Amino acid sequence: MSFATLGLAPALLRAVREQGYHAPTAVQTAALPPALAGSDVLALAQTGSGKTAAFALPLLQRLVASPPRPGPRALVLAPTRELAMQTAQLLRDLAALLMQRPKIALAFGGVSINPQLMALRGGCDVMVATPGRLLDLLDHNGLTLAGVQCLVLDEADRLLGLGFADELQRVIAQLPARRQNLLFSATFAPAVESLAAELLHEPVRIEIDEAPPQITQRAIQLDRAQRLPALRQLLAEQGWDRCLVFVASRYTAELVSDKLFAHGFKAGVLHGELSQGARRDVLEALKAGSVKVLVATDVAARGLHVEALDAVVNYELPRSAADYTHRIGRTGRAGATGVAVSFICADSAENAESHFRLIEKRQGQRVPRERLAGFEPQAIATEAEATGGIKSTTRKSKKDKLREAATRAGG
Ligand code: AMP
């Protein structure tokens, strides 16, 4: 299958070539024809499947064919600023070769609203926004949604989750009834289905039975105190060019990145308390290769895409199985292979072994436990414990070790 046979206009065909896309991904192959024809689409698509282009291309192609209006003609809603930024960037890149280049506006919270209001002064053709900030802009009369012909909900399952659902409904209430709706979601959970039923008109439903991404999962048992030296060894041995290390808090993110940096690694840090500029800079540095190890909290887990990320390390386990899936999904993207390493610490406060077992259960996959030579844990949760069997501890006391050594020495 080629992009040309899917009905893309010549300027967009050139644009996808410039992006380095040689052939459409499965979701693009399925979504492009109905979306170009103006149908509503409900697509099951994860970040990494090429979903952004699956809605961006038809959106742009239909936009250039419709007469200009004062307000945006297309509205793309995304749950996070990172995702909104990446989507706006792809839209701008793809639109760069169009004869009448549409104006793509971007808005998200956590930064001053004034520059965003200023940017909307001359109007825009496409608005990419997080829902809360879009409502703020509407309250400030920064724009009107009366001319929207196409609505995209990116990561609709998240937009429907806690904290967004009300805002989403308020935005939808301001849209004209006649419009195209493109809804992309990582799941077809009941909430998504019921929104889809309310929102979409005879949608084309796309569910791709794609081969799972090529991610090798590893689970390494070790003691908490060994995590940093073990990570350093992995980084040194594995030759990963770009790697994301996930931790649970801003404090640990700073600490681990500082320690790696002090040991000569090109380490950077990404967490929610950094300024927008600092976040952008570190992501750019990762892309450019001046940062090779990015230590991040879950802020970075969603939406973020960095080409050719070789590995994800769960230095600390995520809270939920869903977060685990999102974290490891940062690697092995768009056909590339990747590795996801999780540190399982038997001496952690929260029982890491049973927590990881839950994660395995949720994703229906067992990851063999390993130990790294030189970093064997002193406190090991045995396989019997791991499978919920009899409790046994293999931790040896100092005395036991001395006794064993004496026996060995004594022959
Ligand atoms: P997305 O799911 O939109 O976040 O895209 C994931 C990654 O796949 C991005 O890095 C895209 O640049 C890349 N990508 C999207 N479509 C294609 C394609 N047709 N061929 C190769 N890479 C693609």
Side-chain angles (χ1 to χ4, degrees), residues 276-362:
Q276 194 54 40
R279 287 203 215 184
R280 194 191 47 234
D281 290 351
V282 79
L283 286 174
E284 285 298 318
L286 185 68
K287 267 182 199 158
S290 51
V291 161
K292 290 186 170 227
V293 191
L294 184 59
V295 188
T297 59
D298 279 299
V299 151
R302 301 243 179 199
L304 183 134
H305 73 232
V306 180
E307 309 259 342
L309 201 56
D310 302 303
V312 166
V313 177
N314 289 313
Y315 190 90
E316 290 173 306
L317 291 178
R319 284 199 207 158
S320 69
D323 282 341
Y324 179 82
T325 309
H326 276 281
R327 281 186 180 188
I328 72 168
R330 300 312 95 207
T331 181
R333 315 192 68 201
T337 53
V339 54
V341 178
S342 297
F343 286 166
I344 315 283
C345 302
D347 58 344
S348 60
E350 69 293 344
N351 187 341
E353 182 57 51
S354 59
H355 185 48
F356 195 69
R357 255 185 291 139
L358 259 181
I359 291 173
E360 289 178 305
K361 208 167 152 192
R362 290 276 159 76

Side-chain angles (χ1 to χ4, degrees), residues 358-376:
L358 259 181
I359 291 173
E360 289 178 305
K361 208 167 152 192
R362 290 276 159 76
Q363 51 159 16
Q365 198 179 339
R366 175 110 176 104
V367 185
R369 304 296 184 267
E370 309 170 34
R371 288 166 206 168
L372 289 183
F375 300 98
E376 291 86 355

Side-chain angles (χ1 to χ4, degrees), residues 3 19-25 28 46-54 83 86 90 303-307 333-334:
F3 279 109
Q19 287 296 309
Y21 303 170
H22 300 296
T25 64
Q28 291 162 2
Q46 315 273 352
T47 299
S49 60
K51 68 178 163 78
T52 319
L83 194 58
Q86 286 167 6
L90 183 68
L304 183 134
H305 73 232
V306 180
E307 309 259 342
R333 315 192 68 201

